[in-house]
């Protein structure tokens, strides 16, 4: 019973995804079919051959496929960068545990990194980070960050400064310092890639032209097929239009992996919560 409810809810979500466009298309298909049944000899049905519509449909599928693949590559790139962030966060916690001797300094550095990933998530989602980072950073630093344009970058910069001070105090060797710096650089590189995706959208043509061609094709399709399909035209052409609308909408949504308005927004709340849990457990594990 629960499975049927879930399937019904999922189906409802799919139709609501392209609902308005689909209803307009269905109304158009029904209108064309009704006109054909009223006057099958009207010259309009005779003047529109099916071959151009077939060629246009094939070209349209290729175009939508290219646009969707470009959007998916962008979405997957963003997800891959957060995968690297997760891996390097674990590396950082392990290296701090292995290299830094003072337990309080270890805790401070791990807390700083938790604050960093929360601040980065909020920056990508255009949210305020102060509630999330309050438990992990001193008040003085939080107040200073409120004037910053890029809070996560400054948190990472201060982490590097503190590591340099610890290295001088604990007389860490060059290899140990280089190990920590390599991880911080990888983290910074991942942040830069995320900010590039956030600030650079795909060209407007990737969104405008596919929808324009889909609308033209959906207008033409029932006219060119109604003399063959007859009363089945609304069903067949609406299904074709539904598939085209879904593909185009999916590609449009995947263009913005860091937009909370997108149905395919990356689950950064879950990812950063996982990073936080890993970091905190590492501080107390087997101690």
């Amino acid at each position: 019973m629960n499975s049927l409810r879930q399937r019904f809810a999922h189906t409802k979500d799919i139709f609501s995804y392209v609902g308005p466009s689909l209803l307009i298309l269905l109304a158009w298909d029904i209108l064309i079919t009704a006109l054909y049944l009223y006057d099958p000899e009207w010259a309009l049905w005779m003047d529109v051959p099916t071959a151009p519509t077939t060629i246009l449909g094939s070209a349209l599928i290729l175009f939508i496929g290219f646009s969707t693949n470009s959007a998916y590559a962008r979405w997957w790139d963003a997800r891959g960068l957060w995968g690297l962030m997760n891996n390097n966060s674990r590396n950082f916690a392990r290296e701090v545990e292995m290299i830094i001797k003072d337990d309080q300094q270890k805790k401070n550095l791990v807390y700083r990194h938790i604050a960093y990933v929360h601040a980065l998530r909020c920056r990508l989602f255009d949210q305020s980070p102060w509630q999330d980072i309050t438990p992990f950073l001193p008040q003085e630093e939080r107040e200073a960050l409120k004037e910053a344009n890029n809070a996560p970058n400054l948190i990472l910069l201060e982490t590097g400064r503190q590591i340099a001070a610890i290295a001088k105090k604990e007389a860490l060797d060059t290899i140990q310092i280089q190990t920590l710096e390599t991880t911080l650089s990888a983290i910074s590189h991942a942040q830069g890639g995320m900010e590039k995706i956030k600030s650079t959208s795909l060209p407007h043509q990737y969104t405008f032209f596919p929808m324009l061609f889909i609308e033209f094709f959906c207008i033409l399709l029932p006219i060119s097929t109604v003399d063959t399909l007859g009363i089945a035209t609304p069903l067949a052409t609406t299904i074709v239009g539904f598939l085209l609308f879904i593909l185009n909408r999916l590609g449009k949504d995947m263009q913005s992996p860091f937009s909370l308005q997108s149905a395919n927004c990356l689950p950064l709340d879950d990812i950063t919560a996982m990073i936080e849990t890993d970091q905190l457990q590492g501080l107390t594990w087997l101690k």
Side-chain angles (χ1 to χ4, degrees), residues 80-121:
L81 288 170
W82 269 101
L84 289 175
M85 180 65 70
N86 184 30
N87 294 341
N88 283 301
S89 296
R90 294 170 180 171
N91 291 340
F92 180 73
R94 185 178 63 254
E95 290 161 5
V96 166
E97 178 65 28
M98 293 170 58
I99 295 173
I100 306 301
K101 300 180 179 64
D102 185 86
D103 287 341
Q104 185 58 44
Q105 296 288 4
K106 292 178 183 180
K107 180 179 179 180
N108 290 341
L109 290 175
V110 168
Y111 272 30
R112 294 191 62 79
H113 188 69
I114 295 172
Y116 166 78
V117 293
H118 283 307
L120 179 58
R121 167 180 54 82

Side-chain angles (χ1 to χ4, degrees), residues 37-51:
L37 294 176
Y38 177 75
D39 185 5
E41 302 301 324
W42 190 18
L44 178 63
W45 322 124
M46 312 302 294
D47 293 340
V48 182
T50 58

Side-chain angles (χ1 to χ4, degrees), residues 56-74:
L56 176 61
S58 300
L60 184 59
I61 287 294
L62 292 176
F63 187 32
I64 295 175
F66 176 77
S67 176
T68 303
N69 286 339
S70 299
Y72 179 76
R74 176 183 173 86

Side-chain angles (χ1 to χ4, degrees), residues 189-209:
H189 178 75
Q191 177 183 341
M194 297 171 197
E195 291 173 337
K196 178 194 71 174
I197 294 173
K198 170 72 174 179
S199 61
T200 307
S201 60
L202 285 177
H204 177 64
Q205 292 85 346
Y206 276 69
T207 302
F208 175 75
F209 284 113

Side-chain angles (χ1 to χ4, degrees), residues 148-204:
N149 293 327
N150 193 330
N153 180 60
L154 292 183
I155 293 173
L156 198 64
L157 176 63
E158 180 59 26
T159 299
R161 288 174 177 169
Q162 292 192 14
I163 289 176
I166 294 170
K168 185 176 181 180
K169 180 180 178 181
E170 297 187 359
L172 301 182
D173 61 41
T174 304
I175 295 177
Q176 292 173 319
I177 298 173
Q178 183 61 41
T179 299
L180 289 166
E181 172 56 27
T182 299
T183 302
L184 291 180
S185 295
I187 290 171
S188 181
H189 178 75
Q191 177 183 341
M194 297 171 197
E195 291 173 337
K196 178 194 71 174
I197 294 173
K198 170 72 174 179
S199 61
T200 307
S201 60
L202 285 177
H204 177 64

